[in-house]
Structures are given as C-alpha cells and as structure tokens.
C-alpha cells in the first residue's frame, strides 16, 4: 500500500524535538519555578527527558523504573532520590513546560480532503474527568454525591483538520462544561467549532459568529426558535409537517433580543429502532429520577436536530451529520490518553506525585499527537487504510528509549525516526473494513481529494 508515511520530514521533526529537549530555556524555567535552586545532577532538562520519555516508554512506571530512565540520560539516582525531587516545584515546572510544548508541537499540514479544507480549522470541544485520591478533594473537588470526592476535568480543543491539541485546560471535577468559555480564545476566522449539548450556549455561538467563524451543535430543547420575520416557532408542529428524512429551516436561535442568532435548523427523522431506543432510555432515566416525561419531549426523541451558521455551500444538508460525527474522534483520543498513555494509571496518593506524573504524561501525549498527525491518512485515501491510534502509541512506546538516547543529535534522531516510521507502516495500520469503512475513508467519500 502506498502511503505518505515515507514522505514525512523526519529531519524537521527531529530538529524540533532536539530543540525542545535541549533548549537552555528549559533550565531557565526550572530556575524560575524554583525546581532547580542549586547545582545538581538532576537538572531541569534531565528531569524533563527522564520523566516524559520514561512514562512514554511505560505508562505505569514505578519509582524504580523512573530511576532507570534517569540512568538512560546519564544521571545515577535512587528511587528514593527520584521521589524527593517530585514536589510542589516539579509540578509547577512541568506544568509550565507542558504549556510550552502545546505551543511548539503543532502540525501545519491539514488532512488532504477538500471538503474539510474549506475551513481554516475544525475545532472539536469536549472534556473528560479523572478521579483523584480523596486527600486532593479540597483543591480538586469531585462531582458530588454520585461521583468521586476528588476529581479533575480536562477540557480539550482538538483541531481535527491538522491533528493538533489546540487547547488543554485542567479544571476541578465540579466545573461544568456549560460554563467553559476559554475555548473561544482559540477560535479563528473561517474555522468550524463542533460541540455537544453540554456546551450549548447562545452567547458562545454569537462570539463564534462575531469572529467570522462557524459552529455546529445539536439543538438544545426547549431553546426558543423564531422564523425569519421574528415569529415564535412551534417546533412540535413544525416537525409534524416534515416529509422525508432530511430537511432544513432558516431560523433565529433564541427569543431574547440579545440573541436571535440567524442559523440553519437541520431536521433529521430518526429510524424507528433509534427512536424506540432513545425513548426507552429516556423513560428509564426519568423513572430513576422520579420524574415524568412530557408528551412533547417523547415526540421530539423521534428527531435529531442540529443548528449551524455555516452556509449550505460549506456544509450541505446531506453532509451535516457526517460533519457532526467527527466529534466522536475526541472520544477515541480520551480513550487513548486514559487506557494507553496512562492517565488512568497514575500511581501514588501524594498530591505532588499525582500532578507531576499527570503533567509528565500530558507532555508525552503532546509528542504522541505531534508525531501521529502527519500519518493519519494515506495518500491513497480511498484505500480504506489508516493508522490506528492505539497501535501507533504501542510502537512509539517501544522506541521511547531509543529516542531518549538520540535526543542530543539531530541526525541520529532522524535515523531513529526513519526506523520508527518503518515500524508504523508495517504494524500500525488498521485492517480494511468493507462493511463499515473507517472514519477517514467515510470522510473521503464526501468529496474528491485535493490535487
């Protein structure tokens, strides 16, 4: 199979990685955060390399295994010595370096699909929660009676078009998605932002539109709808009049004068089996809460409704669901982070140990996505082959020690990357799926590839 894997600029990648892991600015950051206050064998750079690449090699590394990782970078230290260097200063140090890594490791090459490249970026916004030891409940309170006493929430903006982690913010488990607005800072003109109902907010949608950008979201019932002349729309009555499987109506979203956002209401009639499943689950959930569902709400479950300000020329009616389905890719990202990059297997109960390990693993995750992004789709995009995130990470883990030992030499690292990509091409591709094509193959069918 022909792919773009062999065409990746390994020299450019190695230059960026060598710069990151040898930048004098890292030592300056170590001093500014007081992680390094006097001369020591464990410098900021050595700590960064040993911790990040140690966890990349084995996500569940113990103190003993981390001490071996330090030896790989030329530092002899005992497991107890490693534990002593994991403190409040190491948390601030790695958190600062993590922010720098997010800015440095950006992929500039978009997916070669013309239907997607109409946008400057495709931002998918979502969150994931991680439980913490109970002794961290004061700083990171959990989500109340039904959840963990201590938890943190990771808010992520993932640029699907370029494969970049555009924004990652750490909040407490109590913070709601509805109140999260920081993602608006990274919305640029011409981009598309896709959110689920947890982020449905008319003020946020207006902010996106004011930037000459676009949003796509499920419609949140019972948000008010007006027709083009400002008359209130009876949604249930409108739906009963619909014929066919797919329709759209021009509406104004929100009845208050400061809202009334012009957009398209996309109406999809659910298949019978989908409707029955939704209604059964809704009734079971209502029974548990001791509430009763209104007849109007039960009727609404027979439809899937979207709102977007993107014109038909950018997202045609028949492709709206295909675009929204891209949002599920972020669920696969969180699964990769938790199950294979080790966010669910952070050891220890001490707060400083937990947070230091968290940020070390988040830096490793930035590297994973930076290396993965250019490989996500073969040149022959209709070949129904694509790189598996999980298999890719597993191959990367095998090469972590080789990377660690080559980080001081651009040429040596480039050679290691060439060998790594050979293994990716042979062992990281998904099998062809004839009955249900892979995600990128489905997207490729929406439009011809760019020349």
């Amino acid at each position: 199979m022909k792919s773009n894997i062999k065409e990746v600029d390994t020299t450019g990648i190695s230059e960026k990685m060598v710069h990151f892991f040898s930048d004098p600015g890292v030592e300056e950051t170590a001093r500014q955060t007081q992680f390094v206050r006097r001369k020591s064998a464990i410098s900021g750079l050595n700590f960064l390399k040993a911790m990040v690449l140690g966890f990349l090699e084995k996500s569940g590394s113990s103190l003993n295994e981390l001490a071996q990782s330090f030896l790989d970078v030329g530092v002899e230290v005992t497991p107890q010595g490693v534990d002593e260097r994991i403190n409040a200063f190491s948390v601030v140090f790695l958190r600062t370096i993590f922010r720098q890594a997010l800015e440095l490791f950006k992929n500039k090459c978009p997916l070669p699909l013309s239907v997607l490249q109409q946008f400057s970026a495709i931002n998918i916004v979502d969150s994931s929660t991680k439980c913490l030891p109970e002794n961290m409940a004061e700083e990171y309170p959990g989500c109340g009676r039904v959840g963990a006493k201590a938890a943190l929430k990771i808010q992520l903006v993932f640029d699907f078009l370029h494969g970049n982690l555009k924004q990652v913010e750490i909040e407490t488990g109590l913070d709601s998605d509805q109140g999260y607005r920081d993602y608006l800072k990274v919305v640029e003109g011409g981009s598309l932002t896709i959110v689920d109902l947890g982020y449905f907010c008319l003020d946020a949608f207006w902010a996106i539109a004011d930037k000459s950008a676009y949003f796509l979201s499920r419609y949140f019932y019972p948000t008010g709808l007006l027709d083009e002349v400002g008359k209130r729309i009876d949604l249930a009555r409108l739906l009963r009049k619909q014929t066919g499987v797919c329709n759209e109506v021009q509406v104004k979203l929100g009845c208050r004068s400061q809202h009334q956002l012009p957009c398209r209401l996309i109406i999809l009639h659910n298949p019978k089996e989908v409707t029955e499943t939704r209604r059964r689950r809704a009734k079971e959930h209502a029974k548990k809460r001791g509430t009763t569902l209104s007849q109007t709400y039960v009727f609404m479950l027979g439809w899937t409704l979207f709102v977007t300000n993107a014109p038909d020329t950018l997202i045609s009616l028949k492709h709206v669901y295909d675009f929204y389905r891209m949002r599920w890719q972020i669920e696969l990202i969180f699964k990769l982070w938790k199950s294979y990059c080790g966010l669910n297997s952070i050891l220890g109960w001490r707060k400083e140990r937990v947070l230091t390990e968290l940020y070390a693993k988040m830096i490793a995750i930035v590297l994973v996505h930076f290396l993965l992004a250019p490989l996500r789709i073969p040149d022959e995009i209709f070949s129904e082959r694509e790189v598996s995130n999980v298999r890719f990470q597993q191959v990367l883990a095998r090469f972590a020690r080789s990377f660690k030992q080559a980080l001081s030499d651009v040429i040596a690292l480039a050679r290691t990357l060439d060998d790594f990509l050979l293994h990716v091409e042979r062992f990281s591709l998904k099998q062809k799926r004839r009955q249900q094509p892979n995600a990128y193959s489905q997207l490729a069918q929406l439009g011809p590839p760019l020349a």
Side-chain angles (χ1 to χ4, degrees), residues 85-321:
R85 294 309 303 269
I86 295 176
N87 50 42
F89 301 112
S90 66
V91 174
V92 179
F93 170 58
L94 288 185
R95 182 170 59 210
T96 304
I97 297 297
F98 168 61
R99 297 292 169 207
Q100 296 173 4
L102 277 176
E103 294 301 317
L104 176 66
F105 292 111
K106 298 290 188 185
N107 174 52
K108 297 182 180 180
C109 183
L111 288 170
L113 302 173
S114 57
V115 71
L116 303 184
Q117 289 194 21
Q118 300 175 99
F119 300 98
S120 59
I122 298 178
N123 303 316
I124 306 174
V125 184
D126 208 346
S127 69
S128 184
T129 301
K130 171 174 173 46
C131 297
L132 298 172
E134 289 188 7
N135 63 309
M136 298 178 66
E138 184 175 351
E139 185 174 355
Y140 291 95
C143 19
R145 335 173 270 184
V146 296
K149 292 183 179 179
L152 60 77
K153 178 176 287 187
I154 301 175
Q155 293 283 0
L156 171 63
V157 181
F158 178 68
D159 178 2
F160 179 78
L161 181 60
H162 298 89
N164 292 329
L165 304 182
K166 203 165 186 179
Q167 184 184 74
V168 181
E169 297 292 342
I170 307 296
E171 299 184 325
T172 74
L174 275 180
D175 290 317
S176 69
D177 293 339
Q178 188 72 207
Y180 186 67
R181 297 287 183 276
D182 281 355
Y183 75 89
L184 296 172
K185 297 176 182 177
V186 297
V187 171
E188 70 264 42
S191 64
L192 172 67
T193 298
I194 303 174
V195 297
D196 69 4
L197 288 177
Y199 297 86
F200 190 98
C201 175
L202 297 184
D203 289 337
F205 293 159
W206 262 117
I208 292 171
D210 283 344
K211 293 188 175 186
S212 299
Y214 308 99
F215 63 84
L216 172 62
S217 169
R218 290 273 300 277
Y219 166 73
F220 180 66
Y221 176 80
T223 304
L225 296 171
L226 304 177
D227 62 20
E228 293 183 283
V229 297
K231 183 179 179 182
R232 184 74 178 255
I233 293 175
D234 184 334
L235 184 57
R237 184 178 180 183
L238 174 66
L239 295 179
R240 290 189 174 95
K241 291 181 179 180
Q242 298 303 308
T243 59
V245 176
C246 185
N247 292 289
E248 71 172 88
V249 179
Q250 293 293 327
V251 300
K252 293 180 180 178
L253 192 60
C255 294
R256 294 181 180 178
S257 58
Q258 70 267 33
H259 291 146
Q260 299 187 15
L261 176 60
C263 63
R264 300 158 62 197
L265 175 68
I266 310 300
I267 304 171
L268 304 181
H269 199 170
N270 295 330
K272 181 179 178 181
E273 58 274 16
V274 173
T275 299
E276 291 176 349
T277 299
R278 285 186 176 182
R279 288 174 178 169
R280 184 185 72 253
R281 290 176 178 173
K283 289 176 182 177
E284 290 173 353
H285 187 55
K287 185 178 180 180
K288 289 180 181 179
R289 293 182 301 169
T291 58
T292 303
L293 301 177
S294 68
Q295 291 185 346
T296 301
Y297 180 74
V298 172
F299 169 75
M300 294 282 295
L301 293 174
W303 307 81
T304 297
L305 307 177
F306 298 99
V307 287
T308 181
N309 65 333
D312 183 74
T313 53
L314 291 178
I315 307 179
S316 66
L317 175 61
K318 66 178 182 178
H319 289 160
V320 169
Y321 181 73

Side-chain angles (χ1 to χ4, degrees), residues 6 9 24 56 93 115 178 250 257 261 347 385 411 442:
K6 294 179 180 178
D9 178 16
L56 186 59
F93 170 58
V115 71
Q178 188 72 207
Q250 293 293 327
S257 58
L261 176 60
L347 302 176
R385 300 298 301 275
I411 296 176
Q442 294 176 5

Side-chain angles (χ1 to χ4, degrees), residues 18 22 49 403-410:
V18 168
S22 61
K49 284 190 267 190
F403 288 150
K404 196 188 313 176
Q405 295 172 333
L407 275 177
S408 60
D409 187 330
V410 171

